[in-house]
Amino acid sequence: MKKSKYSTVIIGSGIAGLYTALKLAENCRLGIPAQQKILLITKSVLGESNSYYAQGGMVAVLKDNKNDSVQSHVNDTLIAGAGLNDENAVKFISENSDKVIKDLLNFGVEFDRDDNGNFKLTKEAAHSVNRILHCGGDATGREIEIALVKSVKENKNIELRENTIAIDLLVENNTCKGLIVFGNNDYEQINSEVVILATGGLGQMYKYTTNPLGATGDGFAIAYRAGAKLRDMEFVQFHPTALAIDDSEHHNRFLISEAVRGEGAKLCDKNNYYYMKDYDKREELAPRDIVARANFSQMNKTNSDCVYLDATKLENPSKRFPTITKKCAQFGIDITKDLIPVAPAAHYFMGGIETNLNGETSIKNLFAIGECASTGLHGANRLASNSLLECAVCAYKTAEYLKNNNSLYQCEREEFQSEHNVEVKNSDESLIEDLKSKLKTTMWQNVGIYRNEESLNKALKDIKQIEQEFNKPDYCANIGEYELRNMIIVAKLVIKSALQRKESRGAHYRTDFLQTDKIAKHSEFIK
Ligand code: FAD
Ligand code: SIN
């Protein structure tokens, strides 16, 4: 097997991966030997990620915003998180938002401003004040990704590899020493002092999702197989308003941002009944789990596969939401006149690889940042626009921690002796697609917005059947097979965690255990 050596390998080119690479590279001296370089690998093209599609924006508690405070943001985050947040993490991330936003400007990120040059701040569900920055109206992720990708490409200390999937970590004595990757139909062993997982979420494990194709939960499976500690694997967030029209090109559903409700849009059913007042006094701006359940219930009550978002009363919605306007128009919907058909879809994963605020996992020299990490910020239900903030603050902090801990970088360390001798096998692509589709259907039907013991056991049985048909526990033939292998592992973890939590809390709603326990406890998984 081919071998190489780097000081740090970062896996993923979403905002967490790109920004970590840039902040780490700031600390490198130019002209360092090749083996001390930072390598960033990504399984698709550079920048393709959940981050790219982020719409609503990024929370910023700006020092000069007299209407806001860290305490207010912390309170809103804790209320949404339903008792499972780590208050220190919430406070830390909120306190650092101003600094990180200003730093992102140095990398060419341009947040929308008013005519006086002040940042435009919007509101989303469960925020008590306007504190969300956005770019290009409703294309926040795309604009940030474009700026960071440009900076990364220009940086001589960062080497890039696209269409390369991380398969497994090399771990000895609970210390990560590198990883095995697969790309160009070949395997490579990469020895590295530090490995950083920035692999994003798992929305593609569900039939209906806002996430792009790559969100197959790889990082959770990779970390689990290596023996890292995972937690709160039952907490999948469903966004209330995905466009209820399948986008076959992208294999997902286009998001209609919560910011549209933040600016005043209302939800109604097919009978033109505006129902949110029946579900929560905060109506359209109740936390996301509540609005998602309300939409789902109203769809069931009216025997319909969607509800509707009415944005017709907004002032100039096409200017404020150009991307949404354009996408709806492709389906013949004029958002200034027509109701938009929407339905809930899997959107975000609150659980993941347990880390502290330096990004450290339970395995030495293995770090995790962004949606794949569980820092304690989100608890049982993420507050809108807190994810991009978490990616940025944790990337900044982890890079700073690595800079101050030179002992992690001992480039003379003994090389990992790999036992891996691998032969690339043939693949039956239609079988892989069929099994992925079966997995996504059972996850949607049985491990979705509502779940109970019977549905969860049914899903577990289905996944075991899929696993038997797949029958490739180790080496696979292509990226699609590796994804399926990971999806099977992670599906089992999500289902087992959901079975264990015999209460309803935040996004985890058990129809057979409606109560919320007095004491909030994390669920944990170690292989
Ligand atoms: P990602 O951006 O998902 O990046 C993961 C990267 O890892 C990808 O490049 C992927 O290809 C790569 N990867 C994965 N596995 C492997 C592997 N095995 N080997 C190699 N590479 C791998 N959050 C907000 O705060 N505000 C918003 O407005 C907002 N809007 C959203 C809108 C949509 C449609 C979606 C889907 C999400 C939105 N979110 C929003 C959530 C937010 O975008 C994500 O949580 C965040 O961007 C995650 O960033 P990340 O860098 O951790 O992961
Ligand atoms: C949205 O724009 O509705 C998504 C915001 C988020 O996921 O934080």
Side-chain angles (χ1 to χ4, degrees), residues 76-77 79-80 123-128 131 258 282 284-288 383-384:
D76 291 347
T77 303
I79 291 168
K123 199 173 182 182
E124 287 182 271
H127 284 278
S128 49
R131 61 163 74 94
E258 202 154 89
R282 292 160 288 186
E284 275 75 5
L285 296 185
R288 204 169 267 184
L383 185 68

Side-chain angles (χ1 to χ4, degrees), residues 234-247:
E234 62 275 41
F235 289 102
V236 179
Q237 179 168 72
F238 296 88
H239 198 290
T241 59
L243 186 64
I245 302 174
D246 289 328
D247 185 339

Side-chain angles (χ1 to χ4, degrees), residues 1-4 6 8-11 39 41 164-171 176-182 187-197 222 366 416 418 420:
M1 194 189 301
K2 220 166 107 186
K3 284 189 184 174
S4 56
Y6 292 86
T8 309
V9 180
I10 298 170
I11 309 166
L39 173 68
I41 70 163
T164 301
I165 187 169
I167 297 171
D168 272 313
L169 299 168
L170 304 173
V171 177
C176 183
K177 298 185 168 182
L179 73 164
I180 307 279
V181 303
F182 176 79
Y187 292 90
E188 182 172 343
Q189 175 183 326
I190 303 177
N191 292 316
S192 178
E193 302 352 290
V194 167
V195 175
I196 302 177
L197 292 165
I222 291 171
L366 176 68
F416 188 88
S418 171
H420 298 78

Side-chain angles (χ1 to χ4, degrees), residues 10 50-51 55 128 140 214 228 235 237 250 256 263 301 330 344 350 368 371 408 455 474 505 524-525:
I10 298 170
N50 277 4
S51 299
Q55 292 185 0
S128 49
T140 308
F235 289 102
Q237 179 168 72
H250 293 100
I256 307 294
E263 301 277 349
K301 265 190 203 163
Q330 284 171 12
M350 271 82 64
E371 189 167 340
L408 288 167
S455 74
D474 297 320
R505 183 183 295 279
E524 283 179 4
F525 263 105

Side-chain angles (χ1 to χ4, degrees), residues 25 101 136 197 246 277 282 386 405 425 443 463:
I101 296 293
L197 292 165
D246 289 328
K277 58 182 178 307
R282 292 160 288 186
N386 261 352
N405 277 276
K425 301 177 195 129
M443 290 299 285
I463 300 295

Side-chain angles (χ1 to χ4, degrees), residues 215-457:
T216 50
D218 297 5
F220 309 118
I222 291 171
Y224 177 71
R225 278 199 302 271
K229 194 168 172 191
L230 269 55
R231 70 174 178 184
D232 299 339
M233 295 298 286
E234 62 275 41
F235 289 102
V236 179
Q237 179 168 72
F238 296 88
H239 198 290
T241 59
L243 186 64
I245 302 174
D246 289 328
D247 185 339
S248 49
E249 191 194 336
H250 293 100
H251 300 267
N252 65 2
R253 285 190 156 181
F254 180 78
L255 181 73
I256 307 294
S257 174
E258 202 154 89
V260 183
R261 274 176 287 130
E263 301 277 349
K266 295 277 170 196
L267 286 159
C268 66
D269 64 18
K270 69 174 183 190
N271 304 318
N272 248 333
Y273 178 62
Y274 290 76
Y275 53 83
M276 269 315 297
K277 58 182 178 307
D278 300 345
Y279 291 93
D280 194 284
K281 65 176 188 311
R282 292 160 288 186
E283 302 191 9
E284 275 75 5
L285 296 185
R288 204 169 267 184
D289 57 324
I290 294 172
V291 185
R293 280 196 295 276
N295 288 0
F296 203 67
S297 301
Q298 205 65 19
M299 283 161 58
N300 288 341
K301 265 190 203 163
T302 55
N303 198 16
S304 176
D305 56 10
C306 67
V307 286
Y308 295 88
L309 191 64
D310 179 355
T312 59
K313 310 254 173 353
L314 303 195
E315 204 180 305
N316 213 346
S318 6
K319 183 154 181 251
R320 172 67 182 83
F321 301 109
T323 316
I324 293 171
T325 305
K326 197 166 150 209
K327 189 70 179 187
C328 286
Q330 284 171 12
F331 293 107
I333 301 160
D334 176 349
I335 72 162
T336 64
K337 297 196 190 100
D338 303 322
L339 298 179
I340 310 167
V342 292
H347 181 65
Y348 183 81
F349 192 60
M350 271 82 64
I353 308 156
E354 185 176 330
T355 67
N356 61 18
L357 290 167
N358 295 324
E360 290 173 294
T361 69
S362 62
I363 296 179
K364 195 161 176 263
N365 289 20
L366 176 68
F367 293 73
I369 306 178
E371 189 167 340
C372 70
S374 170
T375 61
L377 171 65
H378 308 302
N381 180 41
R382 176 175 64 96
L383 185 68
S385 290
N386 261 352
S387 173
L388 296 184
L389 176 66
E390 182 187 44
C391 288
V393 170
C394 294
Y396 190 107
K397 178 71 171 69
T398 299
E400 203 172 66
Y401 175 75
L402 289 172
K403 179 180 114 186
N404 295 331
N405 277 276
N406 278 333
S407 63
L408 288 167
Y409 290 101
Q410 300 161 359
C411 295
E412 299 311 315
R413 184 188 293 148
E414 205 178 301
E415 192 176 275
F416 188 88
Q417 296 306 316
S418 171
E419 300 286 318
H420 298 78
N421 265 327
V422 188
E423 182 199 331
V424 180
K425 301 177 195 129
N426 288 336
S427 171
D428 177 349
E429 278 176 29
S430 68
L431 174 71
I432 300 306
E433 282 317 304
D434 180 49
L435 295 178
K436 275 187 175 174
S437 160
K438 281 184 180 153
L439 182 146
K440 288 154 75 110
T441 301
T442 193
M443 290 299 285
W444 178 258
Q445 289 173 348
N446 299 307
V447 199
I449 297 176
Y450 294 110
R451 52 239 348 226
N452 57 45
E453 185 157 340
E454 194 185 339
S455 74
L456 293 167
N457 279 326

